[in-house]
């Protein structure tokens, strides 16, 4: 059956600027069979759309599917998770008393190493895609493992389930650990090329799935490998993802392992290592950036590299509190990452909530520039980072993140719980913790959603116009 | 129908010390018709319980209800919310960009003032009780409003629904605001006595519901009112709840409004004001305690007063990060409070999660005594605060908080989601974000629950042996 044109009706909410949400009430959005938004019509109901918009688009009424947001529901752009380790999902919430370096050794590497088993990979990747879709994640920048077959499987499953994704085979040719690494820089590069080739064959136009070059982080790569991956990125034009300045011990080790004499960088900063290898580009996603120096932040801004802010992870692993305002003030594009399983939650909404909360702790630490209170992120800003900011981080800013003609329909239908006059709720309302009493303004309802919402509020999810999740 | 004896079977998990959870596998717990635990038998299944325990208890098999935790489920003590403002529930998640003092004026006082409307009070109180029960809160220390009829209604509803509760009519005889306060100290005291009398008539033995003397906080009371409430507490032996040192502006204002010349205190500290009024006792619950000086903490410890730690609120309102370890190290009893709606969530599990995360931010600030890393709270410690610590805070340490003979059965049955080999989950498993793959240890499963759990994992809840919530 050919994909049908779709008419979405009701309230649409999306970011128009960092600190601004637009509320489009009684609006019609038309999405064609390719999943592209072809009309956004304000003050428009079903009849009016049929009478005035359909003729303009050349649409035949009988061939259009109509989807309405009920009273109290709204359409919102799908969330973009700019940093998530798909294979680590079973470890979500398991930290013991570890911090980054021992957490990797104790929990992460043993689990990732086991992805040589494709049946296990299928089980976990299937679940993580289902789970993130149910939370409204329409696009994810995934780290896989070093294994080509399992990485390709992750790409296949995303393609099949319809989740937009960047898929990165993880490159690491240096200890730790001995039992889980590429044999050499050459082997790492060859395996990366093999995975890229698979994804290109799967989705030649990158309509949904795209490869992303993924040096795990500086410490797990030799400098020649970093350089070769930089060259590969330049050759292919593909995006890059890696970690930076997550943890203070890590930063000290990077300085020790990558002296200027080795890298030829101007200084021995962490960002300088990536820059010297050609990995600091406008298509680079840097996860964490908790402890960047002013000089490094300036370099990142100059190169146009982007930052994936992962507050759940940074708090849980005790890494620190990233000064997001300082990065934004420098014009660095920022999005949110769940960083499963450094982050405990697969939900970008949880990442948004923690971004708001952690920003208050940045205030307590006096880390903000230009007046301490400025460090605070508002609910609106966190939602910008979760959608439009994230789109910029993963290089999709012209395609997804908000509702406009020419953009693709990656969206979620959000519903909140209505409390009756007797203080009860209707049976089968789906539950969840966002209770609306009826007198709340729409900005207050959105704030309630950010603070107490979960996957129960995400009723349906679309990617490129296709339904990819429906809440039962 | 007379209440029946109950036999609970399966895995029981509870705190035996601050940083220690005990896992009682294959255990039988017998609860009599009054809701008291009369036997805890390890290595015991249904047959063995019937053959060896029932005869000892004089129980007749046909009259016993059997409740089993299925494979993968466990019984856990009910949560104790040591600080929650029931009337503020509709504002959960609504903050704008306010901090404590303007948040009170903008959001809190107008909503509380509207509780002169009993129908509105019924709607909101009914919902908040249902909601907190669904999250496993078996006992809550509630602040109501200044209104006696609405406060009494809250007590009635808790009694009817079976939630253990401390109910406090809020005392405030001083601006702000003019439209919402007691007319005088005398009127405040008379209204408090009226509410106490109602609760005594409702539950003469305080088996479930207990009044609690509730000066809102120093700034909203004249010193004579504080003194009279101190006297009332001494006369009646009733517990006391109030706020302390939540926000730095508040602390400055307290110093200005309560000079030593007025209070006769040894210094002009916040804790000193309460102490001078006779309100700092072993039965006092102090919410927040974010910015106590060393001298104040020593005074609180000397008086045996307890602290309700409210991390969700302290972060959301930008109040600060309470140094819980420092308080615990002084021997001050601590529990967790949701502080709805300064806190955004009605869930004590969310408060436990945030207590863990915020304690890492205390480390970042270098606030811990005896080595910075010591500030970190473990999952086990957060669960202690949520149960056994909370029981001590509200004066119920001999009755609830863990499973032992002579304790009352306030408990929740917790279930986690099992991921099948194909990466799917069973239809109708209830959902939730705690996915178990099967290889996790029990401590890891508990950690997963703390980091990702919600009300979907709380399958059933009991207070004094009575079912008060069943998840549909």
């Amino acid at each position: 059956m050919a994909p049908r044109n779709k008419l979405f009706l009701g309230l649409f909410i999306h970011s128009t600027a960092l600190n601004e949400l637009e509320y489009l009430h009684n609006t019609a959005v038309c999405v064609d069979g390719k999943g592209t938004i072809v009309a956004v019509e304000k003050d428009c109901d079903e009849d009016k759309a049929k009478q005035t918009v359909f003729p303009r688009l050349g649409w035949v009424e009988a061939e259009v599917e109509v989807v309405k947001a009920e009273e109290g529901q709204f359409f919102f752009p799908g969330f973009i998770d700019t940093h998530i380790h798909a294979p680590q999902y079973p470890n979500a919430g398991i930290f013991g008393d570890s911090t980054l370096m021992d957490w990797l050794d104790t929990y992460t590497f043993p689990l990732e190493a086991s992805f040589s088993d494709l049946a296990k990979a299928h089980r976990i990747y299937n679940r993580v895609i289902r789970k993130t879709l149910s939370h409204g994640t329409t696009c994810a920048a995934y780290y896989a493992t070093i294994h080509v077959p399992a990485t390709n499987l992750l790409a296949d499953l995303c393609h099949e389930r319809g989740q937009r994704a960047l898929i990165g085979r993880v490159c690491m040719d240096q200890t730790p650990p001995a039992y889980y690494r590429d044999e050499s820089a050459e082997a790492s590069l060859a395996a990366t090329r093999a995975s890229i080739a698979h994804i290109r064959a799967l989705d030649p136009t990158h309509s949904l799935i795209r490869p992303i070059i993924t040096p795990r982080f500086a410490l797990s790569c030799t400098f020649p490998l970093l350089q070769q991956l930089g060259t590969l990125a330049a050759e292919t034009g593909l995006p890059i993802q890696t970690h930076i300045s997550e943890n203070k011990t890590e930063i000290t080790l990077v300085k020790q392992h990558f002296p200027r004499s080795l890298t030829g960088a101007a200084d021995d900063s962490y960002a300088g290592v990536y820059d010297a290898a050609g990995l600091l580009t406008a298509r680079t996603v840097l996860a964490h950036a908790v402890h960047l120096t002013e000089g490094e932040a300036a370099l990142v801004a100059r190169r146009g590299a982007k930052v994936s802010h992962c507050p759940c992870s940074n708090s849980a692993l005790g890494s620190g509190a990233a000064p997001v305002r300082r990065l934004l003030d420098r014009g660095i594009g920022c999005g949110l990452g769940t960083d499963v399983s450094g982050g405990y939650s697969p939900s970008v909404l949880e990442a948004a909530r923690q971004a708001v909360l952690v920003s208050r702790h940045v205030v307590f630490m006096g880390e903000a520039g230009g007046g301490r209170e400025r460090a605070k992120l508002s609910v609106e800003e966190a939602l910008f980072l979760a959608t439009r900011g994230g789109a910029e981080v993963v290089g999709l800013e012209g395609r997804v993140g908000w509702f406009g003609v020419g953009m693709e329909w990656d969206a979620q239908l959000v519903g909140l719980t209505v409390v009756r006059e007797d203080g009860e709720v209707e049976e089968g309302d789906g539950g969840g913790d966002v209770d609306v009493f009826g007198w709340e303004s729409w900005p207050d309802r959105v704030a309630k959603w950010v603070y107490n919402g979960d996957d129960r509020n995400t009723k349906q999810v679309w990617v490129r116009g296709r339904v990819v999740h429906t809440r039962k």
Side-chain angles (χ1 to χ4, degrees), chain A:
Chain A
M1 202 179 78
R4 296 171 67 184
N5 294 321
K6 293 190 175 85
L7 169 65
F8 295 91
L9 289 164
L11 171 59
F12 299 75
I13 306 178
H14 64 169
S15 296
T16 47
L18 177 61
N19 201 12
E20 195 172 297
L21 286 175
E22 184 177 36
Y23 297 80
L24 296 165
H25 293 274
N26 304 315
T27 292
V29 170
C30 296
V31 175
D32 70 13
K34 291 176 183 165
T36 303
I37 298 173
V38 290
V40 176
E41 206 73 15
K42 297 184 193 181
D43 297 316
C44 185
D45 61 12
E46 187 170 350
D47 286 344
K48 189 174 166 194
K50 288 176 178 171
Q51 287 160 22
T52 67
V53 187
F54 286 15
R56 203 174 77 211
L57 299 171
W59 283 13
V60 179
E61 194 180 313
E63 292 169 6
V64 178
E65 182 187 343
V66 179
V67 184
K68 291 180 188 175
E70 303 293 329
E71 184 67 30
Q73 297 185 327
F74 59 94
F75 295 102
F76 198 80
F79 289 133
I80 295 171
D81 188 345
T82 60
H83 186 69
I84 172 168
H85 294 264
Q88 296 175 17
Y89 176 66
N91 279 348
I94 302 179
F95 300 100
D97 58 359
S98 63
T99 55
L100 179 62
M101 303 307 289
D102 56 328
W103 169 83
L104 284 169
D105 287 334
T106 309
Y107 299 105
T108 306
F109 293 142
L111 179 57
E112 286 196 16
S114 72
F115 276 62
S116 53
D117 175 350
L118 264 184
K120 184 170 180 182
H122 183 278
R123 182 185 185 202
I124 293 168
Y125 285 156
N126 187 55
R127 185 62 182 155
V128 76
I129 294 167
R130 289 252 194 258
K131 178 58 77 174
T132 53
L133 284 174
S134 76
H135 280 278
T137 301
T138 50
C139 177
Y142 284 119
Y143 284 57
T145 62
I146 65 170
H147 313 93
V148 175
T151 302
N152 293 349
L153 175 65
L154 176 60
D156 295 346
L157 288 171
C158 287
H159 192 256
E160 187 184 318
R161 304 258 182 278
Q163 188 175 49
R164 201 183 287 276
L166 295 89
I167 305 284
R169 194 204 75 92
V170 173
C171 298
M172 44 195 293
D173 69 335
Q174 183 162 267
T175 194
Y179 66 87
Y180 177 56
R181 66 180 182 213
D182 296 319
E183 279 179 28
S184 63
E186 292 65 37
S188 189
L189 208 74
T192 299
R193 285 188 188 277
S195 182
I196 292 170
H198 176 86
I199 294 167
R200 282 205 171 136
L202 178 72
D203 187 354
T205 62
H206 294 165
S207 63
L208 206 63
I209 313 295
R210 198 168 190 197
I212 183 165
I213 295 168
T214 307
R216 183 178 202 110
F217 71 138
L219 287 178
S220 58
C221 299
T222 58
F223 192 65
L225 176 56
L226 293 178
Q227 287 177 303
Q228 289 169 44
L229 293 173
T231 305
L232 181 67
E235 277 172 21
T236 57
L238 288 174
I240 301 161
Q241 62 184 354
T242 191
H243 301 77
I244 197 168
S245 292
E246 179 175 358
N247 166 293
K248 289 183 178 173
T249 304
E250 172 209 11
I251 295 167
T252 305
L253 290 171
V254 169
K255 279 190 200 305
Q256 290 170 4
H257 282 71
F258 297 92
R260 263 177 288 182
S261 55
L262 171 67
T263 64
D267 59 31
D268 61 353
S269 76
Y270 201 151
V273 176
Y274 290 141
D275 195 46
L279 290 167
L280 212 59
T281 78
R283 300 183 312 280
T284 303
V285 184
L286 299 166
H288 305 301
V290 176
H291 306 287
L292 289 186
T293 63
E294 288 300 320
E296 284 179 297
L299 175 62
V300 168
R302 242 178 4 254
R303 297 289 184 255
K306 315 297 189 294
V307 167
S308 172
H309 174 44
C310 306
C312 296
S313 168
N314 296 332
S315 295
L317 281 175
S319 301
V324 179
R325 178 72 64 204
R326 275 210 285 133
L327 303 175
L328 290 170
D329 282 349
R330 283 192 178 274
I332 297 172
C334 296
L336 296 178
T338 60
D339 191 26
V340 166
S341 70
Y344 50 85
S345 170
S347 160
V348 174
L349 192 64
E350 172 76 13
R353 179 158 52 234
Q354 292 304 319
V356 169
L357 294 171
V358 164
S359 73
R360 273 101 180 118
H361 288 269
V362 175
V363 173
F364 305 154
M365 294 163 72
E367 286 261 358
R372 289 159 51 105
E373 290 291 318
R374 287 200 67 248
K376 279 191 189 178
L377 295 176
S378 66
V379 161
E380 288 77 9
E381 288 174 322
L383 289 175
F384 177 95
L385 297 180
T387 56
R388 213 162 162 161
E392 188 191 347
V393 169
V394 297
L396 292 171
E397 63 275 18
R399 290 172 64 183
V400 297
W402 58 286
F403 303 128
V405 173
M407 304 292 286
E408 297 180 22
W409 180 254
D410 285 20
Q412 54 186 316
L413 176 65
V414 178
L416 313 176
T417 301
V418 175
V419 179
R420 297 189 319 211
E421 286 302 317
D422 63 358
E424 304 288 340
V425 299
E426 296 298 329
E427 289 275 342
D429 92 306
D433 269 343
V434 188
D435 279 349
V436 171
F437 288 77
W439 57 69
E440 300 91 341
S441 69
W442 269 106
D444 282 350
R445 289 178 198 207
V446 168
K448 282 190 160 196
W449 175 51
V450 169
Y451 273 107
N452 277 319
D454 61 36
D455 52 311
R456 284 173 285 189
N457 301 111
T458 295
K459 307 298 183 187
Q460 197 151 38
V461 182
W462 295 262
V463 174
R464 298 189 80 221
R466 172 184 168 192
V467 173
V468 291
H469 171 74
T470 302
R471 182 135 207 102
K472 281 164 196 157

